[in-house]
Amino acid sequence: EAQVTQNPRYLITVTGKKLTVTCSQNMNHEYMSWYRQDPGLGLRQIYYSMNVEVTDKGDVPEGYKVSRKEKRNFPLILESPSPNQTSLYFCASSVAISEGYTFGSGTRLTVV
Amino acid sequence: AQSVAQPEDQVNVAEGNPLTVKCTYSVSGNPYLFWYVQYPNRGLQFLLKYITGDNLVKGSYGFEAEFNKSQTSFHLKKPSALVSDSALYFCAVRGEGSGTYKYIFGTGTRLKVLA
């Protein structure tokens, strides 16, 4: 089944403890992206990647890192999480920039 | 700079009536426009897109959207609403040739279809 898989689905962590949210797609898509969803703010793009080793900042990149060493994987790294990073995170991929995204199921992160 | 606006936080419509969810955008160059739907506790699902061509685009689940270049709008429509259409709807835009893959979403419109 064609899908974007994120892990974990739920995560509660403490301020400052490094964490990684994994994202993997099995559709050979070139384009991948990370979003955070907050009430009243919609989805805001954190980082995106146009291909292996090609990444760029979205609108809210502060406090996040990404890497794209393989086409299928696009992990999101929070080196020192803070409470304002408590949010619902989505990974998404698409075959081309003119096509719609396939989204993962989301990761609900709580930083205390 | 790219932007997209969904002016209504919530839209209520009676089952069987037509529905419209509004979206306006601002981009440099020609727009790539998209609609997505999000059901509770789920990721977003792609509904339809406009890249070029006919101004009326048909998508999944009986939804369609009308592109209006002069009004910079891309409203989502359905001739007859179902209770199961109740969900959160997002409009998204990317400008052709914008030089980036920034893909901007609106803040979402909650559609409530009343039985």
Side-chain angles (χ1 to χ4, degrees):
Chain A
E1 180 189 352
Q3 60 186 354
V4 176
T5 302
Q6 289 179 235
N7 280 298
R9 290 291 309 275
Y10 301 92
L11 178 60
I12 301 175
T13 190
V14 296
T15 299
K17 185 176 181 182
K18 181 179 178 178
L19 66 92
T20 299
V21 184
T22 64
C23 173
S24 180
Q25 50 94 3
N26 62 359
M27 297 165 283
N28 203 36
H29 286 173
E30 290 192 348
Y31 300 95
M32 298 187 74
S33 191
W34 275 103
Y35 288 87
R36 59 179 289 174
Q37 183 178 12
D38 301 290
L41 297 177
L43 276 82
R44 293 179 291 168
Q45 195 172 34
I46 302 170
Y47 270 95
Y48 59 93
S49 170
M50 291 164 283
N51 213 327
V52 175
E53 302 291 3
V54 181
T55 63
D56 205 351
K57 296 176 181 178
D59 289 323
V60 288
E62 295 79 18
Y64 305 95
K65 286 176 58 177
V66 293
S67 67
R68 187 95 181 271
K69 293 184 170 50
E70 308 165 277
K71 199 171 188 178
R72 62 184 294 126
N73 294 325
F74 190 45
L76 180 69
I77 303 156
L78 286 71
E79 297 250 344
S80 182
S82 64
N84 65 10
Q85 293 179 296
T86 292
S87 188
L88 179 58
Y89 291 87
F90 287 104
C91 181
S93 72
S94 68
V95 65
I97 58 176
S98 59
E99 298 299 319
Y101 276 129
T102 299
F103 276 83
S105 298
T107 296
R108 187 167 293 280
L109 172 66
T110 302
V111 183
V112 298
Chain B
Q2 299 175 184
S3 67
V4 59
Q6 294 181 242
E8 301 153 318
D9 289 337
Q10 181 159 322
V11 170
N12 295 329
V13 63
E15 187 174 31
N17 283 2
L19 70 87
T20 298
V21 182
K22 296 179 180 176
C23 172
T24 59
Y25 66 90
S26 173
V27 294
S28 54
N30 293 320
Y32 294 170
L33 294 156
F34 304 84
W35 275 102
Y36 292 82
V37 60
Q38 184 180 32
Y39 297 102
N41 301 314
R42 302 281 298 275
L44 281 73
Q45 297 176 35
F46 169 73
L47 276 179
L48 51 80
K49 67 175 183 180
Y50 172 84
I51 304 299
T52 187
D54 288 341
N55 290 341
L56 188 64
V57 178
K58 294 192 183 298
S60 306
Y61 313 121
F63 283 93
E64 56 192 28
E66 187 170 12
F67 172 67
N68 187 315
K69 188 172 183 177
S70 63
Q71 296 185 4
T72 60
S73 67
F74 189 55
H75 300 333
L76 181 70
K77 301 183 178 187
K78 189 174 183 181
S80 179
L82 300 172
V83 172
S84 57
D85 292 330
S86 297
L88 189 54
Y89 290 82
F90 289 96
C91 181
V93 66
R94 180 181 180 271
E96 181 191 27
S98 64
T100 76
Y101 190 47
K102 281 191 177 181
Y103 192 116
I104 307 299
F105 281 81
T107 52
T109 297
R110 189 165 300 282
L111 173 67
K112 193 169 185 179
V113 181
L114 307 168

